[in-house]
Amino acid sequence: MKKRLYQSDAASYFREHSSIFLFIVVLFLMGVIFGAIVVNSMSITQKEDLFYYLSQFFGQVSSGREGEDNDLFLQSFSHNSKFIGLMWILGISIIGLPVILILLFIKGMVVGFTVGFLVSQMGWQGFMLAFVSILPQNLIIIPVFIMMAALSVIFSLRMIKKQFMKKYAQPILPFFKGYIFTLFVAVIFIVAASGIEAYLSPWLMKTVISSTILK
């Protein structure tokens, strides 16, 4: 009974704020597209310089010198949790709303640029490399980022209404408790994504590089 009640509350919540969730998804996709466009605007020299460093990294991965798995896990968790935490903090502040949107756009741009660069420089092999090195962990990270960005925007809007609209009578505390719970859930998913990025993706990258790129 309680499970059905929670599912009903969640469904009504998403319906109520569907326009915000849609806007956040579209903004992220715009960032991805913009990142891919930036690749095409780079000069040949810039692409060659960047590809040189990328080739050095491929050599390290193929020889197993890309770094300890535990170090990669800590780096990934630190980076992604800081990103999520910053979004969460910005959602509490009234002036943080535009920064949340900018951060999400930048995240999309980084993904689009990385995939676009690999594909433009290496073709099908670049696509395969992007597929195994970027997709696995981002199947978790991207939905978490989108969800956190949307909830941060919603909470920030509630704060603005509470501050500037005297007729806004809804209490903030219940929403804030849910907001804190969302952060803990997001961190758990980030731990899972970091584990994939540290322990699974390097093995997949090494397999692809050894079998196709360095063949």
Side-chain angles (χ1 to χ4, degrees):
M1 185 68 181
K2 287 185 177 181
K3 185 177 180 181
R4 290 182 179 179
L5 183 62
Y6 289 141
Q7 290 176 343
S8 177
D9 290 342
S12 61
Y13 184 86
F14 280 106
R15 282 196 300 269
E16 181 184 355
H17 302 98
S18 59
S19 58
I20 293 178
F21 283 99
L22 179 61
F23 173 75
I24 292 297
V25 172
V26 171
L27 180 66
F28 178 81
L29 293 176
M30 287 176 61
V32 173
I33 295 171
F34 184 78
I37 292 173
V38 170
V39 173
N40 294 326
S41 66
M42 293 174 66
S43 66
I44 296 177
T45 303
Q46 289 174 325
K47 289 183 179 180
E48 288 178 348
D49 290 342
L50 186 56
F51 188 68
Y52 170 77
Y53 291 108
L54 197 60
S55 300
Q56 296 290 104
F57 175 73
F58 290 157
Q60 291 180 352
V61 172
S62 63
S63 61
R65 299 195 307 270
E66 71 279 6
E68 294 294 332
D69 292 343
N70 293 337
D71 291 338
L72 289 174
F73 174 82
L74 292 174
Q75 289 174 8
S76 175
F77 176 74
S78 176
H79 170 74
N80 291 314
S81 59
K82 286 177 182 177
F83 203 95
I84 289 292
L86 180 58
M87 277 189 176
W88 190 88
I89 292 172
L90 290 170
I92 300 175
S93 64
I94 296 176
I95 61 173
L97 180 58
V99 184
I100 296 169
L101 302 179
I102 292 171
L103 287 174
L104 186 70
F105 183 84
I106 291 174
K107 177 61 179 177
M109 188 175 68
V110 169
V111 172
F113 178 85
T114 305
V115 176
F117 182 78
L118 288 172
V119 173
S120 69
Q121 293 298 108
M122 304 174 65
W124 174 251
Q125 293 176 338
F127 174 79
M128 287 298 299
L129 189 60
F131 186 82
V132 299
S133 64
I134 298 173
L135 180 63
Q137 62 268 22
N138 276 292
L139 285 175
I140 299 175
I141 292 173
I142 290 175
V144 170
F145 279 7
I146 289 175
M147 184 66 65
M148 181 57 69
L151 294 177
S152 297
V153 167
I154 292 169
F155 192 82
S156 182
L157 289 174
R158 290 186 186 276
M159 293 286 290
I160 292 172
K161 289 178 181 178
K162 187 71 175 178
Q163 186 71 23
F164 298 104
M165 295 175 60
K166 294 181 179 180
K167 295 182 180 180
Y168 187 78
Q170 289 185 335
I172 291 294
L173 186 58
F175 295 110
F176 185 66
K177 290 179 180 178
Y179 195 50
I180 295 175
F181 176 75
T182 302
L183 178 63
F184 283 115
V185 173
V187 170
I188 293 172
F189 279 104
I190 290 300
V191 169
S194 298
I196 292 173
E197 187 172 358
Y199 302 109
L200 177 62
S201 293
W203 178 80
L204 293 173
M205 287 175 63
K206 187 175 181 178
T207 303
V208 171
I209 292 170
S210 301
S211 61
T212 60
I213 296 174
L214 298 178
K215 200 168 183 179

